[in-house]
Amino acid sequence: MKHVAVIGSGFAGLSAAAYLAKAGFSVDVYDKNDTAGGRARNYSTQGYLFDMGPSWYWMPDIFERFFNDFNSTPGNFYQLVKLDPGFSMVFDDDVVLDVPENVDELAAKLELIEEGSADKLRSFLHQAAEKYRVGMGSMVYKPTIGLRDVVSSGLIGAFIKMQVLTPLSSHVKKYFKHPAIRTLMEFPVLFLGAMPQDTPALYSLMNHAALQVGTWYPMGGFGAVVQAFASIAHNSGVRFYMDTPVTGIAAANELVNGIYTKKGYKQYDAVVAAADYVHVEQHLLPAAYRTHTPAYWQSRTFAPSALIFYLGVRKKISRLQHHTLFFDEDLHQHGHDIYKQPRWPAKPLFYVCCTSKTDEKVAPPGHENMFVLMPVAAGLQDTIALRQKYFDIIMQRVEKFTGEHVRNFIDYKRSYCINDFAADYNSYKGNAYGLANTLRQTANFKPALQSSKLKNLVYAGQLTVPGPGVPPAIISGKIAAHQLIKYF
């Protein structure tokens, strides 16, 4: 029996571990934190249950496919609720678009904003659905290790057909004129860590996920999903070593031999690196076995970090939905402050998640559970004073929009930002989402899943294929596992 170490217990690591164990490998998962889940960890305090990271449950078919591979379903572990409205977009205090789960209702709403947009929406989504079918059905499961693999698998033609070389913003402009509708069509790719003008139009498949498949919520939050994945892995025979950071990887003769932790050295036949790619390569591997240089990583376009506030509020706030996105300032200016001239934004956009609108168990009775997130450039100076400055800016706008006092009713507050991402996840520059899915960082243009210098080391997670987000991370773990299975 081959013994494999998996570094990191986020969704990519849990997925890889489960698939390897199912294939008959002996699998050990190591994580520097004391609970599984990576960025998807949760924590409870004072009657509140907070998800620390992911809060959007899109692409339920990807989750379903994972569970089906283990003769199970999500329903065996947690209840899914479809949100209606799926989310709300605030453009002004008096201009709010509640996005219904029914596409015909959405088409009728858009027609009132821009004449002819209902038919254009259906055409746009028809194309997006086809991209989703191909992209998430087969293309995304390809390891795309090198150009030869892309050619031999026939992906070049698919790449062109799927508009990999066309910016999403240009694609959207062909269909819609009104800025609110364009924002609706462009915003889902912000989860991929790049601006619409720098993201391939392939990712309009996200619109199919958001507007046709819909926005869902797992009761108990994403922590319930993490527990389900960990249970699948554990039931398959995976062993977990929490609060056990890996401090080094031993290698010789183009092979990984084992890993070092605070408990000493342990021999392994292979390693899946599902922790931060840069950290693993630059700090855990011997120098001779690193594929990339520090200059390479410095030249990459990283997704943003985030300033997050976990808030407990001892009252109900009527005007907030489960998901409320504030686009009441200029999206492109905020993007400029992240990617073009990295700095703390002058007029930030932000997002509020209020899980207590759907799940009464995440907050005490009569209280709200609020997760507030503002994207910010990775690698910036992160201070308590800056966090407080932006907290006040954000809360002033939330209070203005809701017409209610919120700050006076906060009975729990915790902030989380660049320094925390770096400390908790060894995240390069404290980024929150990994590498941006830009035109030059898609598919085989990403750092390879297979190490070029160690035959039995593979990477998984949001810095390699397919990219950032929970569903891609799940898929990444599966691809990494199958790559090792093929090797042996």
Side-chain angles (χ1 to χ4, degrees):
M1 179 182 290
K2 299 297 184 180
H3 296 264
V4 180
V6 176
I7 307 173
S9 70
F11 278 110
L14 293 174
S15 173
Y19 282 110
L20 285 167
K22 180 186 177 185
F25 291 76
S26 173
V27 184
D28 295 338
V29 174
Y30 293 87
D31 199 292
K32 73 187 295 293
N33 295 304
D34 57 6
T35 57
R39 287 166 170 78
R41 295 180 298 156
N42 66 5
Y43 75 99
S44 59
T45 182
Q46 300 179 26
Y48 297 100
L49 177 63
F50 293 101
D51 282 327
M52 295 189 69
S55 58
W56 293 75
Y57 195 103
W58 279 349
M59 306 183 184
D61 54 302
I62 303 299
F63 295 84
E64 186 82 32
R65 187 179 303 186
F66 171 84
F67 286 104
N68 289 170
D69 284 343
F70 297 90
N71 299 313
S72 188
T73 68
N76 292 335
F77 295 93
Y78 52 88
Q79 177 190 357
L80 275 179
V81 176
K82 193 173 188 181
L83 302 181
D84 190 15
F87 52 93
S88 183
M89 304 179 76
V90 178
F91 297 100
D92 187 86
D93 291 346
D94 299 317
V95 181
V96 180
L97 177 61
D98 292 328
V99 179
E101 64 91 15
N102 183 286
V103 174
D104 290 334
E105 292 180 22
L106 175 61
K109 282 194 172 191
L110 298 191
E111 187 67 24
L112 295 175
I113 299 173
E114 178 183 319
E115 185 177 354
S117 62
D119 288 339
K120 290 179 181 178
L121 173 68
R122 294 185 179 94
S123 176
F124 184 90
L125 291 180
H126 176 76
Q127 189 181 85
E130 178 61 16
K131 291 177 183 176
Y132 189 91
R133 184 187 67 80
V134 176
M136 301 307 294
S138 58
M139 184 186 295
V140 77
Y141 286 92
K142 304 288 185 182
T144 57
I145 292 167
L147 186 58
R148 181 180 299 175
D149 301 278
V150 176
V151 174
S152 63
S153 61
L155 286 180
I156 285 184
F159 276 19
I160 295 172
K161 183 179 179 181
M162 299 282 278
Q163 296 183 290
V164 171
L165 303 179
T166 302
L168 177 74
S169 58
S170 300
H171 179 59
V172 170
K173 286 177 182 177
K174 291 180 180 178
Y175 287 84
F176 307 104
K177 297 179 180 178
H178 197 282
I181 301 178
R182 286 182 177 177
T183 299
L184 170 64
M185 297 304 157
E186 292 177 348
F187 105 86
V189 303
L190 299 180
F191 292 100
L192 304 177
M195 293 297 290
Q197 61 267 32
D198 299 317
T199 302
L202 160 69
Y203 293 109
S204 65
L205 63 84
M206 296 285 287
N207 295 104
H208 170 72
L211 304 179
Q212 290 182 292
V213 180
T215 303
W216 300 75
Y217 173 75
M219 297 298 285
F222 262 85
V225 187
V226 169
Q227 292 171 18
F229 272 64
S231 294
I232 290 286
H234 178 77
N235 293 339
S236 300
V238 175
R239 293 170 296 275
F240 288 86
Y241 298 90
M242 310 310 296
D243 191 24
T244 309
V246 174
T247 55
I249 298 174
N253 301 319
E254 298 185 348
L255 292 173
V256 165
N257 297 322
I259 64 168
Y260 295 94
T261 71
K262 63 184 179 182
K263 297 178 181 180
Y265 173 77
K266 188 169 182 179
Q267 185 174 342
Y268 285 99
D269 297 300
V271 168
V272 177
D276 182 86
Y277 199 131
V278 189
H279 174 73
V280 171
E281 188 181 64
Q282 299 298 313
H283 299 285
L284 302 188
L285 281 177
Y289 293 106
R290 298 169 188 167
T291 300
H292 305 101
T293 65
Y296 168 86
W297 291 114
Q298 184 66 34
S299 70
R300 299 301 89 185
T301 300
F302 275 80
S305 185
L307 172 58
I308 302 171
F309 295 101
Y310 309 101
L311 305 175
V313 184
R314 60 179 187 276
K315 65 180 287 189
K316 289 294 184 181
I317 306 169
S318 59
R319 207 177 179 196
L320 290 178
Q321 301 287 354
H322 186 117
H323 296 296
T324 306
L325 298 123
F326 284 77
F327 285 98
D328 49 341
E329 295 289 356
D330 183 42
L331 169 62
H332 296 283
Q333 179 59 51
H334 193 154
H336 182 86
D337 292 343
I338 292 173
Y339 297 106
K340 306 302 181 184
Q341 188 178 352
R343 58 185 176 183
W344 285 83
K347 296 181 178 180
L349 305 176
F350 60 93
Y351 152 66
V352 179
C353 179
C354 215
T355 51
S356 46
K357 296 293 182 183
T358 305
D359 191 347
E360 63 181 17
K361 293 183 179 179
V362 300
H367 291 220
E368 295 284 27
N369 177 317
M370 289 179 62
F371 169 100
V372 181
L373 182 150
M374 182 189 83
V376 63
L380 297 182
Q381 181 186 35
D382 171 18
T383 68
I384 297 300
L386 280 167
R387 295 186 189 194
Q388 184 60 42
K389 171 186 173 181
Y390 282 91
F391 175 76
D392 289 334
I393 290 172
I394 289 168
M395 296 313 296
Q396 283 173 5
R397 283 162 59 186
V398 169
E399 290 176 336
K400 184 172 182 285
F401 169 71
T402 60
E404 299 184 46
H405 292 290
V406 178
R407 281 172 286 184
N408 293 343
F409 292 86
I410 292 174
D411 60 5
Y412 176 78
K413 174 187 172 186
R414 175 185 176 184
S415 66
Y416 199 93
C417 198
I418 296 167
N419 294 345
D420 301 298
F421 281 103
D424 287 353
Y425 312 118
N426 295 313
S427 175
Y428 184 68
K429 293 185 177 181
N431 78 83
Y433 305 105
L435 275 179
N437 271 356
T438 62
L439 295 168
R440 296 183 179 182
Q441 293 180 173
T442 291
N444 64 305
F445 299 114
K446 291 183 181 296
L449 178 144
Q450 173 68 58
S451 167
S452 66
K453 297 189 176 183
L454 293 165
K455 300 174 184 177
N456 56 348
L457 170 66
V458 294
Y459 293 90
Q462 56 190 9
L463 270 74
T464 184
V465 292
V470 174
I474 296 168
I475 294 168
S476 183
K478 183 175 184 177
I479 300 171
H482 286 183
Q483 193 66 24
L484 278 187
I485 293 168
K486 282 196 305 182
Y487 169 74
F488 287 109

